[in-house]
Amino acid sequence: MLAKLMSFLLLGIVRFLTGSQARWYGCPPKAEQRIYFANHQSHADMVLIWAALPEELRSITRPIAAKDYWTKTPFRQWITTAVFNAVYVDRQATPARPTTTTTTNTTVATEPAGAPAAPADADTATAGGPDPSPKTPTRAPSPEALRAALPASDPLAPLVRALESGDSIVIFPEGTRGHADEPQPFKSGLFKLAQMFPQVVLVPAWINNVQRVMPKGEVVPVPILCSVTFGTPIVLEAGEERRPFLDRARDAVIALRDV
Amino acid sequence: MNNFLRNLTATQQIGALFLVVFGILSIVTVWAFVRNLREQPSDTPEAEASALEAKRFWGLLQTSWAMATVFWVGWALGETVATVLFAIVGFFALREFITLSPTRRGDHRSLVLAFFVVLPLQFWIVGSKHFDLFTVFIPVYVFLALPVVSALANDPQRFLERNAKLQWGIMVCVYGMSHVPALLLLDFPGYRDKGAFLVFFLVFVVQTCMVVQHLLGRRFPHHPVAPQVSQSFQWPSWLAGVGVGGLVGALLTFITPFKPGQALGMALLACVAGSLGHLVMKALKRDRGITSWGMQGMSVTGAGGLLDRVDALCFAAPVFFHSVRWYFGL
């Protein structure tokens, strides 16, 4: 009850401030299982996508929330669990990495840096260069086997559980909030989820303007119209490598900027 | 007929006015609906163009309905509600303006101030009839305070440009818009409770001028005065638009506290201010590389083009308000 009221209140506030307009280009709003992946510039991104989705999709779509930020206070925790029904993802602090090539990062969305490479993807975790063994078993195992092989400690695990239960999710494959015009290179979480759930539709989304509403460090939001543009779903081709797929996904998101 | 109208109370007269407005809107809506039904869908570019034109017309009709309803609700529920309604319109217009004028991080506090302090304060001052304060509050105090807040944000890059942008937004969307409800509060001797007529007079006259100017400019293309800014602004059609607006104003004398000559003068003044203000806003839009604040509802920002509809009014209202007060010594 309280959560329902809160969600109405939040919807009202978000619409008043940002208009929270959804623009469906390339796919209609439809109640099928989807992974929405979008650019990430503000903590409010999650809220905006949530508000832009039509009511009937909102209840079956779970945004990803960074555990450390969104559980810091009881209120934040309550909002994310009761109102957004968010999936928490760990983004534990990791020691500085020797190289900045995020391409090898094996972690999920909202992740600045990787957790120790999980056994299941040890083979893909080699440096960004050409794959040492061309006949890697990356696409040999079935999706079910991949899911089973995922250790419970893997940051992807909560997302996998959410998808297994039939929900749609919203992820930010850049891992962290960007400040540049273009999103940073995508991390491999999206690729792995696509492998594990071939039947789930992958929908790119571009979130526009949100960083202007509440820049980092400010507490009062400013009313500026924002929109979320949803594009044509992409598909993981049979045998497609990780990096080309992630670049393609990123291009699909960037392409929506000027639609 | 005229006698019958005169014998009605002010409330009844205004009620009749809204009845006429809603009646006209209904007729136009039905006509547009029937025309839509008759049209056969086809793939020729001509049909596509007419479909687009029809869609635009529907949008215009929707806006008109919304505006008329806003006016009616505002009038029915009293001055306070009317002031709040115009404050909300000003808020949405400013939101559109700021959305399409990129700001930097350093502007954040100034923007917070503009939206959540300046705008409510300005409309509160209007509502509480502090006339002397509300004409100077923004151009004097706010225009001095905002750059200070921006300067404290420690970002000198394009400082003048950024502040000018914000100040223009406030000037048009808050200051201009706040003068419309102010008309409701003007106290003409013997003209109590008829402020809504004055608002109607202003809106109708300015809108007539804009429509006539637009139609004539299209029907008789002439040399545009400032082709870089507007392809449609031409002196002959502009003069005709202002002239017709003035005439309509003179014909509407009976709903105003003015004598016919005064009504003509006030209408001309409002038309000149409104149409030229519209041109100024066009130049601002061109600078942003857009043709409309809403782009027919398809813009990346989702702006609805509200500012396109109210910009002429925002320029006309302060000039009209000031000249009325000054001329009649209110």
Side-chain angles (χ1 to χ4, degrees):
Chain A
M1 182 62 201
L2 200 60
K4 197 87 193 149
L5 273 180
M6 189 65 195
S7 105
F8 274 127
L9 182 72
L10 262 178
L11 270 181
I13 294 175
V14 173
R15 295 220 169 113
F16 189 65
L17 291 178
T18 70
S20 62
Q21 195 191 329
R23 307 161 73 230
W24 295 90
Y25 286 75
C27 70
K30 191 173 158 193
E32 61 188 0
Q33 197 176 14
R34 285 174 169 175
I35 298 175
Y36 300 95
F37 57 100
N39 57 328
H40 195 25
Q41 299 201 292
S42 155
H43 280 309
D45 284 342
M46 179 185 96
V47 185
L48 193 82
I49 284 209
W50 171 80
L53 286 170
E55 169 74 40
E56 59 272 22
L57 295 193
R58 205 178 300 136
S59 52
I60 57 163
T61 305
R62 305 182 64 183
I64 303 306
K67 196 170 192 172
D68 58 312
Y69 179 83
W70 287 101
T71 55
K72 207 172 264 169
T73 64
F75 178 69
R76 276 187 204 166
Q77 182 156 18
W78 177 75
I79 286 254
T80 34
T81 48
V83 180
F84 299 137
N85 189 19
V87 182
Y88 287 122
V89 173
D90 262 321
R91 47 168 195 186
Q92 60 273 58
T94 41
R97 297 161 58 84
T99 57
T100 50
T101 45
T102 48
T103 48
T104 61
N105 207 322
T106 56
T107 49
V108 217
T110 64
E111 275 288 28
D121 19 83
D123 45 3
T124 58
T126 44
D131 223 319
S133 52
K135 298 239 176 329
T136 47
T138 35
R139 61 192 139 91
S142 67
E144 290 74 22
L146 278 174
R147 272 181 255 166
L150 194 76
S153 62
D154 191 286
L156 271 182
L159 304 187
V160 171
R161 280 198 299 276
L163 285 169
E164 271 173 339
S165 67
D167 287 326
S168 297
I169 58 171
V170 179
I171 65 172
F172 303 104
E174 287 172 74
T176 186
R177 284 177 291 156
H179 298 291
D181 285 344
E182 300 223 322
Q184 301 164 29
F186 281 4
K187 294 181 177 163
S188 63
L190 179 66
F191 175 72
K192 286 198 254 166
L193 289 177
Q195 278 185 320
M196 287 187 239
F197 297 92
Q199 82 286 2
V200 177
V201 181
L202 304 169
V203 179
W206 176 266
I207 304 175
N208 187 49
N209 251 350
V210 178
Q211 70 286 1
R212 284 175 69 198
V213 172
M214 192 147 70
K216 210 172 178 177
E218 297 288 345
V219 282
V220 184
V222 150
I224 287 181
L225 290 161
C226 303
S227 65
V228 184
T229 310
F230 298 95
T232 314
I234 63 167
V235 181
L236 176 61
E237 304 292 346
E240 189 172 10
E241 293 291 332
R242 183 169 47 103
R243 189 35 51 193
F245 169 75
L246 291 174
D247 287 341
R248 201 156 63 84
R250 181 169 170 269
D251 291 341
V253 170
I254 295 174
L256 294 172
R257 183 173 57 182
D258 303 315
V259 173
Chain B
M1 181 69 186
N2 224 353
N3 255 343
F4 169 72
L5 280 178
R6 269 182 210 290
N7 286 334
L8 296 173
T9 63
T11 316
Q12 284 169 326
Q13 284 176 4
I14 296 176
L17 178 73
F18 277 114
L19 222 58
V20 171
V21 171
F22 280 113
I24 293 175
L25 272 179
S26 305
I27 291 169
V28 173
T29 307
V30 168
W31 170 75
F33 186 72
V34 169
R35 209 183 58 153
N36 251 15
L37 283 183
R38 262 195 314 191
E39 238 152 59
Q40 299 299 320
S42 74
D43 295 330
T44 63
E46 214 171 62
E48 234 166 69
S50 80
L52 195 72
E53 186 65 30
K55 205 175 156 193
R56 218 172 276 173
F57 189 73
W58 268 114
L60 210 65
L61 214 56
Q62 267 175 0
T63 327
S64 311
W65 270 106
M67 293 288 271
T69 312
V70 166
F71 275 119
W72 178 66
V73 170
W75 165 74
L77 297 182
E79 288 161 0
T80 316
V81 177
T83 310
V84 170
L85 277 177
F86 282 108
I88 292 172
V89 173
F91 178 90
F92 286 140
L94 185 60
R95 193 175 70 167
E96 247 171 53
F97 187 96
I98 297 297
T99 299
L100 293 171
S101 328
T103 52
R104 287 168 61 87
R105 279 212 48 194
D107 296 321
H108 193 81
R109 300 262 161 100
S110 318
L111 285 171
V112 170
L113 210 62
F115 276 104
F116 298 121
V117 179
V118 172
L119 189 139
L121 253 180
Q122 171 75 2
F123 280 90
W124 178 76
I125 296 171
V126 171
S128 58
K129 294 197 180 193
H130 287 96
F131 285 141
D132 290 328
L133 182 55
F134 107 85
T135 48
V136 293
F137 173 62
I138 283 177
V140 176
Y141 298 97
V142 172
F143 280 11
L144 285 175
L146 281 181
V148 173
V149 177
S150 287
L152 288 175
N154 191 26
D155 180 4
Q157 208 174 349
R158 293 170 169 259
F159 187 77
L160 180 62
E161 201 179 306
R162 281 159 44 209
N163 276 293
K165 240 184 257 174
L166 184 53
Q167 296 191 339
W168 256 99
I170 293 177
M171 194 69 191
V172 175
C173 305
V174 182
Y175 188 77
M177 193 42 89
S178 70
H179 280 74
V180 182
L183 288 174
L184 291 172
L185 309 174
L186 276 181
D187 250 343
F188 277 98
Y191 192 68
R192 283 209 157 264
D193 304 325
K194 289 196 196 174
F197 277 142
L198 222 49
V199 176
F200 177 82
F201 177 81
L202 176 67
V203 173
F204 193 77
V205 157
V206 171
Q207 208 54 39
T208 308
C209 163
M210 303 304 293
V211 168
V212 167
Q213 188 187 341
H214 175 79
L215 291 181
L216 284 183
R218 229 192 221 180
R219 187 78 184 75
F220 307 104
H222 213 260
H223 286 299
V225 181
Q228 304 270 13
V229 169
S230 163
Q231 286 291 337
S232 59
F233 188 85
Q234 306 142 13
W235 289 128
S237 60
W238 176 75
L239 274 175
V242 170
V244 172
L247 276 180
V248 167
L251 289 176
L252 282 175
T253 308
F254 66 96
I255 64 164
T256 68
F258 313 136
K259 294 189 179 69
Q262 293 168 337
L264 177 74
M266 290 299 172
L268 285 176
L269 201 64
C271 287
V272 170
S275 53
L276 294 183
H278 188 70
L279 183 68
V280 169
M281 292 306 274
K282 266 201 179 146
L284 287 187
K285 284 186 266 190
R286 277 296 147 101
D287 179 36
R288 297 293 336 121
I290 53 175
T291 52
S292 128
W293 295 105
M295 294 183 197
Q296 279 82 50
M298 303 201 292
S299 63
V300 180
T301 56
L306 174 69
L307 201 48
D308 291 312
R309 306 266 173 271
V310 297
D311 55 3
L313 189 62
C314 288
F315 277 84
V319 176
F320 183 76
F321 178 84
H322 176 258
S323 45
V324 166
R325 277 200 81 207
W326 172 77
Y327 186 80
F328 292 93
L330 292 170

